[in-house]
Amino acid sequence: MIKQAAVYTGKAKTVYATDDPELFVMEYRDDATAFNGVKKAALDRKGKVNNYFNAHVMQVLEHQGIKTHFVKLLSDNESLVKKLDMIKVECVIRNVVAGGISKRLGIEEGMVLPEPTFEFFLKDDALGDPIINESHIHVFKWATDAEVTELKRKTFLVNDILKAWFATAGLTLVDFKLEFGRHHGELLLGDEFTLDGCRVWDAVTQEKFDKDRFRRDLGNVIEFYEAAAKRLGINIPE
Ligand code: ADP
Ligand code: TMP
Ligand code: ASP
């Protein structure tokens, strides 16, 4: 496999073509952004920590029957993935009220929901990733009705798997965002599952181990990412 030119440079990752038209190299950079790119910084080791964290989570999900784009780790900052035709909607599940839903609906952070809620967002930085509904997805043809059903089913399954695993490490999976893409007639989980795209709190103290440390200037962002990884048994080389 030969890495070729960059095809997309996002806020935190760069995607490269390869000599295999079916495969991309995904490079995790040290860049951190929040509020759709408004707040920016470079955080030492972030790319490496996220690359290893994501690789481990994707492999756990594969073992539990969730098909993903992940193929293998290539280096500290790079993974090989299957090229997907990305669906431009983001799937968010919340187990506990925090962040966007707290602001939008005026509900205090920390309320444990009686059951998980599901939300769709349009992946569009210029618009600030607005919340959308299934009717919007239908009329604007961002995904078929069958795909919408599958996006929800798979995201709820991921929640069941990860919530239970994180709980064994004394961590509460508060919320998370997933992106999926089409691959030979199937929907595969794409992009990443890292502490950049979810909220994870200590189950007892509610201390934050996720990107809210960066968003809210709480400090020690990567130290907490590594501490969460350690609790979950995810090995990140020095
Ligand atoms: P953003 O685009 O939000 O700034 P990143 O910096 O993480 O995000 O860039 C990674 C980009 O690659 C995202 O736009 C994501 O939708 C896209 N992507 C993720 N997985 C795949 C894949 N397997 N095939 C093609 N594109 C992908
Ligand atoms: P929110 O509280 O900002 O609406 O986000 C809910 C969760 O989903 C939170 O863990 C962050 C994640 N998320 C992203 O990572 N990127 C996004 O574009 C969106 C909308 C949410
Ligand atoms: N994912 C978006 C960004 O990186 C929004 C956020 O995390 O606040 O800017």
Side-chain angles (χ1 to χ4, degrees), residues 65-129:
I66 307 280
K67 291 194 174 175
T68 81
H69 69 158
F70 181 78
V71 178
K72 62 176 181 179
L73 277 166
L74 293 174
S75 70
D76 281 353
N77 284 68
E78 296 165 309
S79 286
L80 191 64
V81 301
K82 291 174 187 159
K83 175 180 176 177
L84 303 182
D85 168 23
M86 295 305 287
I87 294 190
K88 65 181 281 182
V89 306
E90 304 181 328
C91 302
V92 169
I93 279 192
R94 302 174 194 271
N95 298 303
V96 178
V97 169
I101 197 172
S102 167
K103 284 207 188 71
R104 195 166 53 246
L105 303 182
I107 299 167
E108 206 177 325
E109 277 203 353
M111 178 193 167
V112 179
L113 297 168
E115 59 188 86
T117 61
F118 185 97
E119 296 167 346
F120 283 116
F121 292 84
L122 182 66
K123 189 171 165 55
D124 188 325
D125 278 341
L127 297 177
D129 291 347

Side-chain angles (χ1 to χ4, degrees), residues 143-155:
T144 67
D145 294 354
E147 284 172 337
V148 164
T149 303
E150 272 297 277
L151 289 172
K152 286 177 13 187
R153 189 183 70 80
K154 286 177 190 284
T155 306

Side-chain angles (χ1 to χ4, degrees), residues 98 109 199-202 205-210 212-213 216 218 224:
E109 277 203 353
R199 289 191 175 90
V200 170
W201 295 351
D202 182 276
T205 65
Q206 302 201 335
E207 188 155 42
K208 298 178 199 312
F209 286 75
D210 56 72
D212 271 346
R213 299 204 71 83
R216 302 179 189 192
L218 301 176
F224 274 86

Side-chain angles (χ1 to χ4, degrees), residues 11 32-39 125 129 177 196 211 215:
K11 296 188 294 297
T33 71
F35 314 116
N36 301 305
V38 171
K39 178 171 175 163
D125 278 341
D129 291 347
K177 178 267 298 179
D196 276 3
K211 201 164 91 175
R215 293 189 190 97

